[in-house]
Amino acid sequence: MPVVLVHGFLVGPLSCFWLGHQLRQSGFQPHTFAYSTRQASLQQAADALLAYAQTLQVKQLHWVGHSLGGLVILAMLQAAKEQRIELPMGHVVLLGSPVRGASAAARLARHALGRRLLGQARASLHHAFDSAPTDRPTTVIRGTQPLGAGRLLGSLPTPNDGTVAVEETELSGAHAIDLPTTHAGLVLSPTVAQAVVEALRG
């Protein structure tokens, strides 16, 4: 079963290597999608992901996005629907994706250096999604261990994973799972990997 992994902010596809390995061990065929988190707008990344998806000649296709990567997936599916492009059916799993906006990123953007660091991700992480795709089962996995760089920018609503608050991941129509891990740990935790496998097997 093919599954596309989309990485988060300031990291590349290698950040999903361990999770991809766990998925492969469970019988999935992981594909990693790379994009520039600072230079590409959310729509540009979504368009590139849509073009990439169309190169995969498969009958079923699952999606797993970490943090910003989850927003790219949602924007891509939205674009495909608007353009009436049919993609293979499959599940969507979002790992700590701030679908209601990231307060930590908003605080960082108050400073010139922070705005430079964020680049195009400044607008991407401010974009909000109201609901999950109506035609695809969607699972949101959130971390509740409050250790991460986001806390250096000020307090976060609790519970949180140290970077993204649980309330920032709330997505209408999606099944939510809370696990004791950090934001970075969402792609490194064996518990999360097992939860992803179970969600994709649905």
Side-chain angles (χ1 to χ4, degrees):
M1 292 176 282
V3 52
V4 176
L5 303 175
V6 185
H7 62 84
F9 178 60
L10 283 185
V11 293
L14 281 178
S15 65
C16 296
F17 177 82
W18 188 86
L19 178 57
H21 175 70
Q22 297 304 306
L23 290 172
R24 188 176 292 107
Q25 293 290 97
S26 298
F28 292 90
Q29 300 166 2
H31 301 268
T32 53
F33 172 75
Y35 66 105
S36 174
T37 61
R38 294 184 62 253
Q39 297 179 357
S41 68
L42 182 61
Q43 193 57 57
Q44 289 172 331
D47 289 343
L49 180 57
L50 180 56
Y52 176 75
Q54 292 176 284
T55 68
L56 301 175
Q57 302 299 314
V58 295
K59 295 182 179 179
Q60 186 178 34
L61 188 58
H62 301 304
W63 304 91
V64 177
H66 178 226
S67 196
L68 176 59
L71 306 186
V72 174
I73 291 172
L74 292 179
M76 181 275 299
L77 292 174
Q78 193 174 72
K81 185 175 182 179
E82 292 172 353
Q83 298 175 39
R84 298 184 179 180
I85 296 175
E86 292 189 13
L87 294 175
M89 293 305 299
H91 288 64
V92 174
V93 178
L94 308 179
L95 306 176
S97 295
V99 296
R100 295 187 178 273
S103 58
R107 290 196 190 97
L108 185 59
R110 294 174 185 170
H111 310 283
L113 184 60
R115 290 192 293 273
R116 184 175 179 181
L117 175 64
L118 288 167
Q120 292 285 358
R122 178 186 176 189
S124 302
L125 292 168
H126 184 68
H127 188 92
F129 292 89
D130 294 325
S131 59
T134 57
D135 58 344
R136 294 168 191 272
T138 302
T139 299
V140 174
I141 299 178
R142 303 93 66 93
T144 58
Q145 188 170 343
L147 297 172
R151 292 183 62 83
L152 299 177
L153 301 170
S155 61
L156 290 171
T158 55
N160 63 74
D161 62 11
T163 301
V164 174
V166 164
E167 67 180 38
E168 296 171 336
T169 70
E170 295 287 350
L171 190 64
S172 176
H175 175 61
I177 300 173
D178 293 345
L179 294 174
T181 187
T182 64
H183 194 66
L186 286 165
V187 288
L188 298 171
S189 163
T191 303
V192 173
Q194 184 57 42
V196 172
V197 168
E198 293 174 0
L200 296 181
R201 286 176 174 168

